[in-house]
Amino acid sequence: MEIKTSTFVKESRNLLYVQVYEKLKEDIEKGYLIKGEKLPSIRKSEKLFKVSKTSIEKAYEKLVDEGYIISKPQSGYFVDADKEQIKIRNEFREPAKIIEETIRFDFRSENIDVHMFDCRLWKKYIKEVLENYSEITTYGNAQGELTLRTALQQYAYSVRGVLCNVDDIIVGASFQSLLYILCGLLPHSLHVGMEEESYVQARKVFKDYDFKISNLTLYEDGVSIRELKEKKIRLLYINAGSQGKYHQPLSKQKKVELIQWAKETNSYIIEDDHNGELRYVSKVKSAMQGFDMGEHVFYIGSFSRLLLPSLRISYLVLTKEMSNIYKNVKDEYAPTSSKIEQLALARYMMDGHLERHVKRLTKKYEKKCRKMEVLMNRYFSDIPYILEEASLQFILDFKEMDIIRLTKSLKREQIACTITDNKKLMLSFAAIEEDCMEEGICLLSKIIKENIA
């Protein structure tokens, strides 16, 4: 049935065609006009709404564009939205409700002590880059800006003993994005070996490339060479700063053994060295890549815990072989990391700020680690734990725990931490303030004792 009358009243608040559009849309949404019902022709609508032909045409056009009505040649305009479609449209139009969770005690491993990063200094370098228009009007180099790769080459050699040329370095937004590039260069028949509790995002990449993955046993001194040979592993992923049963850095002897295994079996090693230079309990040791001379070890470094997690810059050092392969295909890739932030970081590093910053972090985190350890011994004396230095956290191992109940209790008390599926509790001291540490640990221990099954 075609509508023959309307309660439309002109107002001065909006354009006439918008008022007609809103009136018809409202009638459709409220069910006064149902799907399949015919609307008046443009000429009739002029008289019905007492507006110009142009206003009616524009209103109908907008309703057609948004899917409320449909135009049928030689027949006219018809309602084309049913109740379910209208409901979905209304849901999309409503702004998402952002509920910020209140956290009193933050023991999450992904956060850092924000007060340690000099944001004013970082703004200075960002401003310098933004004022140099000639540098920021292009997409940037997919391999990473040359100035940053030069700074990284010097820094990685000086601090971690990494041996490479600037052409061997790829800069990316994250460890995972770089790993995707690397796996695209590698033979797709590789058999990957990694510890069962290794980096989840690395495992995801290997699965996406359909690599065969074998979990390696957690021995006290790390990966077993015999197990690598027995399982015929050809690509070993290893976190150089946290491996083995006790999450300890690789020893020099183990590095030499692994490189020898890689040479004998013509295999590769991915050395994940995030925070490798940040040592506050153990001594800083050279990266395994430096022992290898660029033959079998891929080195990946990151600044997420040294600077800011939101500063998405990581770097990958290729072997000589893979560097040559990458050169032939690098034009097929696009940059994944902000050119502006790369140029700012290059300036920041070349002026010596990164090394000074790492020294300040080392002192700060050593102090927080010592205090946390005292509190752990005081409040968790009957629960075994280990320090994972590279991740700035203690790992508590619970034999029995009601995880669901514990999670609810922690949320109620506004305590944030990470609980793994195998009932291990990760407690980082990076973000929490020293003054709040004991209160948080005390409350946490009380909640945990109440929730142990």
Side-chain angles (χ1 to χ4, degrees):
M1 180 185 295
E2 183 178 313
I3 60 172
K4 297 178 181 177
T5 184
S6 174
T7 56
F8 176 74
V9 178
K10 296 179 185 179
E11 298 177 358
S12 59
R13 62 180 175 82
N14 218 333
L15 297 172
L16 285 175
Y17 90 89
V18 175
Q19 294 181 49
V20 174
Y21 154 79
E22 290 179 344
K23 169 61 179 170
L24 289 172
K25 186 182 73 168
E26 182 181 20
D27 287 350
I28 293 171
E29 290 181 340
K30 290 185 176 180
Y32 302 136
L33 294 173
I34 61 175
K35 186 168 184 175
E37 191 164 355
K38 186 177 182 180
L39 297 181
S41 67
I42 291 176
R43 181 173 294 181
K44 287 182 180 179
S45 291
E46 286 183 71
K47 297 177 181 179
L48 185 64
F49 291 99
K50 295 181 174 57
V51 297
S52 69
K53 177 184 176 182
T54 302
S55 294
I56 297 298
E57 287 177 338
K58 292 178 71 174
Y60 276 19
E61 184 180 328
K62 187 170 176 61
L63 288 166
V64 169
D65 288 343
E66 295 185 5
Y68 284 97
I69 66 175
I70 188 173
S71 174
K72 296 182 179 181
Q74 310 302 322
S75 297
Y77 293 91
F78 297 82
V79 177
D80 194 45
D82 57 27
K83 289 183 179 179
E84 188 62 30
Q85 291 170 329
I86 292 169
K87 180 182 176 183
I88 293 172
R89 282 189 177 90
N90 290 336
E91 288 176 353
F92 282 136
R93 275 207 304 268
E94 289 184 11
K97 294 181 180 178
I98 301 175
I99 302 175
E100 293 188 4
E101 186 179 7
T102 302
I103 297 174
R104 291 173 59 206
F105 306 105
D106 190 354
F107 293 104
R108 291 174 296 185
S109 58
E110 64 265 28
N111 288 356
I112 65 166
D113 189 338
V114 294
H115 302 297
M116 289 298 295
F117 184 68
D118 191 341
C119 287
R120 287 181 297 179
L121 180 61
W122 181 248
K123 286 178 184 178
K124 168 183 173 291
Y125 286 103
I126 290 289
K127 184 179 178 182
E128 283 183 12
V129 174
L130 290 174
E131 289 176 346
N132 192 341
Y133 298 115
S134 62
E135 287 188 311
I136 61 174
T137 53
T138 61
Y139 288 114
N141 191 328
Q143 188 171 354
E145 298 309 305
L146 179 59
T147 54
L148 178 58
R149 285 187 283 126
T150 301
L152 287 170
Q153 186 266 340
Q154 296 171 358
Y155 176 81
Y157 172 71
S158 171
V159 178
R160 304 297 297 123
V162 173
L163 301 173
C164 66
N165 296 318
V166 293
D167 291 338
D168 301 327
I169 298 174
I170 304 176
V171 177
S174 65
F175 170 93
Q176 193 176 46
S177 65
L178 291 170
L179 195 54
Y180 273 113
I181 295 174
L182 176 57
C183 288
L185 303 175
L186 292 168
H188 286 189
S189 58
L190 288 179
H191 183 184
V192 180
M194 58 193 307
E195 293 181 350
E196 187 174 359
E197 298 178 7
S198 292
Y199 194 36
V200 175
Q201 292 180 333
R203 188 179 295 271
K204 172 62 176 170
V205 177
F206 298 139
K207 285 182 178 179
D208 286 349
Y209 273 93
D210 203 28
F211 286 178
K212 180 182 177 182
I213 304 173
S214 288
N215 291 326
L216 303 176
T217 307
L218 292 173
Y219 292 102
E220 289 187 13
D221 65 340
V223 176
S224 165
I225 303 298
R226 184 179 65 181
E227 186 177 15
L228 293 176
K229 292 180 178 180
E230 288 176 351
K231 292 185 175 181
K232 297 181 179 179
I233 302 299
R234 288 296 174 267
L235 175 63
L236 171 64
Y237 164 82
I238 192 164
N239 185 334
S242 176
Q243 53 81 58
K245 187 175 180 180
Y246 298 112
H247 296 265
Q248 295 298 308
L250 276 174
S251 66
K252 182 178 179 180
Q253 179 182 351
K254 180 62 70 173
K255 292 174 184 176
V256 172
E257 290 176 359
L258 288 173
I259 291 172
Q260 186 61 36
W261 159 79
K263 289 180 178 179
E264 290 176 359
T265 59
N266 195 28
S267 301
Y268 299 104
I269 300 171
I270 297 175
E271 182 181 13
D272 178 359
D273 192 41
H274 72 280
N275 301 341
E277 59 269 57
L278 188 59
R279 287 290 174 268
Y280 43 89
V281 174
S282 62
K283 292 182 179 181
V284 176
K285 299 177 181 179
S286 298
M288 179 165 40
Q289 192 272 355
F291 292 81
D292 176 57
M293 302 297 290
E295 294 183 10
H296 298 275
V297 178
F298 302 102
Y299 177 89
I300 301 183
S302 173
F303 300 103
S304 59
R305 304 298 300 277
L306 298 180
L307 300 175
L308 289 173
S310 55
L311 181 60
R312 307 306 296 153
I313 298 180
S314 299
Y315 64 105
L316 162 67
V317 177
L318 297 170
T319 62
K320 299 299 180 184
E321 175 194 6
M322 287 301 152
S323 183
N324 290 329
I325 294 174
Y326 176 75
K327 287 174 186 176
N328 296 325
V329 297
K330 67 178 182 179
D331 292 339
E332 299 174 19
Y333 293 95
T336 62
S337 182
S338 163
K339 181 178 182 179
I340 292 173
E341 290 186 340
Q342 287 188 53
L343 295 173
L345 180 58
R347 287 169 163 80
Y348 181 87
M349 294 177 68
M350 288 188 289
D351 287 346
H353 292 298
L354 181 57
E355 291 192 41
R356 287 192 287 270
H357 179 64
V358 170
K359 289 179 181 179
R360 289 194 298 270
L361 284 178
T362 299
K363 292 180 180 179
K364 179 70 172 181
Y365 286 138
E366 179 183 7
K367 183 180 178 184
K368 295 181 80 169
C369 177
R370 299 300 184 195
K371 181 171 183 177
M372 184 84 150
E373 189 169 23
V374 169
L375 295 173
M376 297 284 287
N377 290 328
R378 182 180 304 166
Y379 293 100
F380 295 105
S381 57
D382 55 341
I383 300 174
Y385 67 84
I386 57 175
L387 169 66
E388 188 176 21
E389 191 175 5
S391 298
L392 307 167
Q393 65 183 5
F394 287 91
I395 303 174
L396 286 80
D397 192 356
F398 294 89
K399 299 303 179 185
E400 294 187 9
M401 183 200 302
D402 187 336
I403 295 180
I404 297 176
R405 184 179 159 195
L406 175 60
T407 301
K408 290 180 179 178
S409 298
L410 293 173
K411 186 175 182 179
R412 184 177 61 250
E413 296 296 338
Q414 300 174 341
I415 298 176
C417 57
T418 302
I419 305 173
T420 65
D421 293 336
N422 57 350
K423 298 183 178 180
K424 289 187 178 181
L425 189 68
M426 311 294 193
L427 293 182
S428 173
F429 48 84
I432 190 166
E433 297 288 342
E434 288 183 66
D435 294 341
C436 303
M437 198 178 283
E438 181 162 12
E439 183 182 357
I441 291 292
C442 178
L443 180 57
L444 182 63
S445 67
K446 179 182 177 182
I447 293 172
I448 288 174
K449 289 173 183 176
E450 291 174 350
N451 285 275
I452 293 179

